[in-house]
Amino acid sequence: MNSMDPVSMAVVRSSVVSIAREIFGTFKRTALLPVIYELNDFSVSVFDDRLNLIGDAPGLPEFVGSLDFALRSVAGEFAGDNPLVPGDIVIVNDPFTTGAHTSDVSIIVPAFFGDTLIGYTGIRAHVGDMGAKDSYPCDSQSMFEEGLILPPVRLYEAGKMDPKLHAIISANSRAPRETFGNIVAAGQALASGARRLTGLVEKYGIDVYHAAIDQLMDQSEREVRQAINLVPDGIYQHEDYFDDNGVTDGRVLLRVTVTVSGSQMTIDTSGSAGQQLGPINSTLPATTAACRLALKRLTTQSSLPTNSGDSRPLTVVAPSGSIFNPDAPAPTYLMGWSGGRLGDMIVQAVASAHPHLFPAQSGGDAVVVIGSHEDSTTGRVTFFADSPPQGFGAAAQADGMDALLHAPVAGSELTSAEIWETRMPIRKISTSLVMDSGGPGRWRGGLGTRTEWEFLGDVELTLFAEKTVASMARGVGGGLPSSVRNSITINPGSDNAKDVGKVGAARLIAGDRVAFVGGGGGGNGAAHLRDPELVLHDVMTHAVSSGSAREDYAVVVTSDPLAIDWDATRRLRDEIAAAAPKLGLT
């Protein structure tokens, strides 16, 4: 067989992705917490010996673009006189190395062909509890309040587990069995994948392996550059705000500049706020991962799997000491929200100028309620987490999709109510779409949702919502923003109802309820240009109220029966058309 046989090379390229997916399935089946086996709060990557990402299986897409930083730290630590050997499993969770908070542990396994290192398999996963000051700190003021910090260390050496490391991790966890069990499950799934990678090289040879990877990288780079070329050269900017940093009041400035020059893109966060006292700081690996994911969303998200070739046309600039590149020991536990917002800002910066190419903003910024409950009889701690789906922004020729999870976590799945209700004293009351939450436009933004839970026993909750006051899901091309923003309300409808944004370690008692809303997506195009028949359908399906139909879409809908009043509608739209030059609507 010719060593560069194109069929063999194609098989190799497909096989590395298959290996990642097999690792994903193995870990999901052997994990011990719903956050893994139900929610998919993890991601899998396969790398070659040159530290190129060559295959992935993302549960959370935001994880993929930063795992190579963890790998580089591992490769640097175990070099020279201290090399990795078959049977090694390495873990690391230092946020400034991994681009993740401490509960998102990175686990790396080397793969060998004989004595030759040929690649790595890796998982980044929210393994459970790593001993932060509460179950999900949103008001920490130092990385040392956010849990046990591990530099790259061997969990297994030549196939033998380190019992001291087991003891250290377990002693620092509220749920030691499940947390360490997830780490072990991840390591063994990765070891199985590493053996598959070894078998692939044994079958096709190292030359075909490397040639196939080079071809994969080059193809991805070429297609990303072709997509960037479709965006006119220019400087695109977007500014936004966090409601606060979790510790001090006052909105926090976020700014991004996207420069497109030919087939090259530079993303610069200069002008954003300095590093914060609260945990919304995003370490450089997390910021870089957010930029990589945004580039993928703007280019080849629907056509090619992710690999290192995607980011060759990308340059990231993030000044040291800023919110997007803080200095240790800055708190960073909520960096996922900073990265997610940055990614949305990047896409919006380009979409605002080219609404025919890219959609409006989505509700964005996952609203999260995370709880822990200690059984008074057994002392066992169980955890709960939920997030309301949000509306996606409208595209140039399509309404935004309803009730989806935010793009950076789009591979995750909401856990069914029954899972949580069997694990702790909790009851799901309702989940529903929110009328009028989609931003009005020729193409309507997707609808957000409202979810309500009741607690049947004492719980400790972390509540986190962003984009509640200082920001909204913006429209493009004349489309309007969503009027429904993210929110969390404790005991809604009662005399002691309280709206909250970021609250850590909130103690609720039996009978307390929490309602949370995920905002809708922005509209695309002027709302008065929407087809009246589509507006009528929106009213009939309770996506849009008759009041919004009239005020936002200039469509008059009668109530009995539901029908379009064509004469009144024409008069309204004629008035808008006559005023259009003055209002800048033409």
Side-chain angles (χ1 to χ4, degrees):
M1 179 182 69
N2 187 318
S3 63
M4 299 303 165
D5 169 41
V7 174
S8 297
M9 291 176 65
V11 170
V12 170
R13 292 198 304 272
S14 297
S15 294
V16 294
V17 175
S18 177
I19 290 170
R21 291 173 178 169
E22 185 174 296
I23 295 169
F24 185 98
T26 300
F27 181 41
K28 186 176 173 74
R29 289 192 299 271
T30 55
L32 301 181
L33 286 173
V35 70
I36 301 296
Y37 62 73
E38 293 284 341
L39 189 63
N40 294 340
D41 194 352
F42 71 101
S43 189
V44 176
S45 296
V46 178
F47 300 89
D48 70 2
D49 51 309
R50 298 163 295 184
L51 311 187
N52 289 310
L53 172 65
I54 58 177
D56 77 306
L60 272 60
E62 66 178 356
F63 283 10
V64 174
S66 61
L67 193 55
D68 67 313
F69 286 90
L71 173 59
R72 291 177 194 281
S73 73
V74 168
E77 178 70 22
F78 299 101
D81 296 334
N82 187 32
L84 294 171
V85 299
D88 281 358
I89 298 176
V90 179
I91 65 173
V92 54
N93 77 336
D94 181 340
F96 289 83
T97 296
T98 64
H101 58 214
T102 51
S103 294
D104 287 340
V105 176
S106 295
I107 303 117
I108 305 291
V109 172
F112 291 86
F113 175 50
D115 294 328
T116 303
L117 180 67
I118 58 167
Y120 307 84
T121 55
I123 282 176
R124 173 178 155 185
H126 191 105
V127 295
D129 184 89
M130 293 294 286
K133 71 186 191 72
D134 51 62
S135 60
Y136 209 97
C138 62
D139 58 355
S140 50
Q141 298 182 44
S142 165
M143 65 188 291
F144 301 115
E145 296 180 77
E146 297 177 340
L148 178 68
I149 300 168
L150 298 171
V153 289
R154 284 185 173 97
L155 176 66
Y156 285 75
E157 184 169 5
K160 185 177 180 181
M161 181 190 293
D162 182 344
K164 294 180 180 178
L165 189 56
H166 180 190
I168 290 170
I169 293 173
S170 297
N172 282 275
S173 177
R174 297 172 180 84
R177 173 184 170 274
E178 292 89 346
T179 299
F180 195 78
N182 283 337
I183 292 172
V184 171
Q188 295 306 314
L190 291 170
S192 175
R195 291 191 291 271
R196 283 283 313 279
L197 193 62
T198 297
L200 186 67
V201 174
E202 286 176 345
K203 182 173 182 178
Y204 292 100
I206 196 72
D207 290 339
V208 171
Y209 172 67
H210 281 144
I213 291 168
D214 290 341
Q215 189 180 84
L216 176 68
M217 300 292 109
D218 291 344
Q219 179 191 6
S220 292
E221 177 186 5
R222 183 169 56 253
E223 295 201 19
V224 169
R225 289 190 182 278
Q226 288 172 354
I228 295 174
N229 270 323
L230 297 176
V231 180
D233 285 1
I235 298 174
Y236 305 96
Q237 295 181 314
H238 190 70
E239 191 173 284
D240 208 341
Y241 295 89
F242 271 126
D243 296 338
D244 56 66
N245 64 25
V247 173
T248 58
D249 293 333
R251 63 183 190 174
V252 181
L253 174 64
L254 308 174
R255 182 176 292 148
V256 69
T257 301
V258 180
T259 302
V260 176
S261 179
S263 64
Q264 192 74 24
M265 181 177 289
T266 299
I267 299 174
D268 187 348
T269 65
S270 298
S272 296
Q275 72 182 55
Q276 298 293 297
L277 184 62
I280 61 172
N281 298 296
S282 174
T283 62
L284 185 58
T287 295
T288 303
C291 294
R292 290 172 175 173
L293 179 56
L295 175 61
K296 189 70 174 177
R297 290 171 61 187
L298 289 167
T299 56
T300 59
Q301 66 171 343
S302 300
S303 58
L304 284 176
T306 301
N307 60 65
S308 291
D310 293 343
S311 57
R312 287 176 179 172
L314 176 65
T315 301
V316 176
V317 179
S320 179
S322 70
I323 187 174
F324 289 115
N325 186 8
D327 298 321
T332 61
Y333 205 87
L334 301 179
M335 73 175 82
W337 278 265
S338 303
R341 179 72 68 86
L342 175 59
D344 271 359
M345 291 170 60
I346 294 165
V347 174
Q348 180 71 9
V350 181
S352 295
H354 306 290
H356 61 292
L357 294 177
F358 304 107
Q361 274 191 319
S362 298
D365 290 82
V367 177
V368 172
V369 176
I370 297 172
S372 63
H373 169 74
E374 182 175 351
D375 189 293
S376 59
T377 303
T378 65
R380 183 184 179 190
V381 176
T382 55
F383 297 95
F384 151 79
D386 199 18
S387 180
Q390 298 156 339
F392 270 40
Q397 298 294 327
D399 291 343
M401 292 178 285
D402 302 332
L404 294 177
L405 294 176
H406 191 29
V409 296
S412 60
E413 300 177 7
L414 290 179
T415 304
S416 64
E418 290 80 4
I419 294 292
W420 299 128
E421 290 170 349
T422 59
R423 293 176 65 86
M424 62 189 300
I426 190 171
R427 180 172 70 92
K428 192 170 193 176
I429 297 174
S430 64
T431 292
S432 60
L433 294 171
V434 179
M435 182 188 289
D436 289 336
S437 58
R442 183 171 189 173
W443 299 101
R444 177 179 52 77
L447 301 181
T449 65
R450 181 186 186 276
T451 297
E452 185 171 345
W453 289 86
E454 180 183 9
F455 299 94
L456 309 178
D458 296 350
V459 295
E460 181 180 284
L461 294 184
T462 293
L463 309 169
F464 184 90
E466 253 298 336
K467 299 184 80 167
T468 65
V469 292
S471 181
M472 63 182 65
R474 302 185 193 181
V476 295
L480 299 178
S482 169
S483 62
V484 176
R485 305 190 191 203
N486 296 336
S487 67
I488 300 176
T489 304
I490 298 175
N491 291 321
S494 69
D495 293 339
N496 62 337
K498 182 180 180 180
D499 293 329
V500 298
K502 304 178 186 70
V503 178
R507 297 190 178 278
L508 275 67
I509 61 175
D512 283 341
R513 292 172 294 117
V514 173
F516 36 102
V517 173
N524 195 323
H528 70 280
L529 299 179
R530 185 168 177 80
D531 184 339
E533 295 286 359
L534 291 178
V535 177
L536 176 62
H537 181 268
D538 289 340
V539 173
M540 296 176 72
T541 57
H542 305 288
V544 171
S545 66
S546 57
S548 175
R550 183 186 184 97
E551 297 300 321
D552 295 318
Y553 295 94
V555 175
V556 179
V557 178
T558 61
S559 59
D560 189 18
L562 283 176
I564 298 170
D565 183 333
W566 285 104
D567 289 338
T569 296
R570 290 189 189 98
R571 285 195 298 271
L572 270 181
R573 293 197 164 194
D574 286 346
E575 291 172 5
I576 293 174
K582 296 179 182 179
L583 299 176
L585 297 176
T586 57

